[in-house]
Amino acid sequence: MSASEMRSKTLEYSPAERDVARIFSRTGLEHLQALAAGEVSGPPISSHVGLRLVSVSEGDVVMTAEPDESHYNPIGSVHGGFFATVLDSACGCAVHSTLPAGVGYTSLELKVSFLRPATADTGTVTAHGWVTKTGRNAAFVEADLRDAAGRVLATASSTCLVVGPDPSGR
């Protein structure tokens, strides 16, 4: 590949919040609402996929993302990792929106079904995540990823571990 064919992409992001007490001082819904309002910085991973939180209510989130050529796999379409990252984010944030202050979560499993390919020409994609069942230790969630015409590109189901306060005061 010649130098004239090379492309570059610069990522700008805010460093991840390191003040654990501050992170967990709000409910998950309050934290996500502050993120959507621009009151707190988004997680650094958001810069890689152009992820934006559009709306959030308890157990339900909508996000958008921007696939581009830097997300391509060897056959010239958007890599499944892009889909998985966006869908995992939608699932996790939907769970986060249900949690009280001091409680966190982490993904235990994620199953993604790829239904249609995407390219840079696909444009903005929208992920919708919704909680189907919550429990004391686990939450179950589903999500879909759609193009601007509303066609489903991928679906996901996930199980998240709900992590209660630890002895350090979180």
Side-chain angles (χ1 to χ4, degrees), residues 43-62:
I45 188 66
S46 298
S47 297
H48 293 278
V49 295
L51 193 63
R52 301 284 177 259
L53 184 58
V54 173
S55 67
V56 59
S57 58
E58 188 169 338
D60 193 279
V61 300
V62 176

Side-chain angles (χ1 to χ4, degrees), residues 16-35:
E17 176 67 56
R18 295 187 187 268
D19 184 349
V20 174
R22 181 176 167 182
I23 292 170
F24 287 96
S25 66
R26 298 176 173 163
T27 68
L29 183 59
E30 291 168 341
H31 184 174
L32 291 171
Q33 288 170 332
L35 178 66

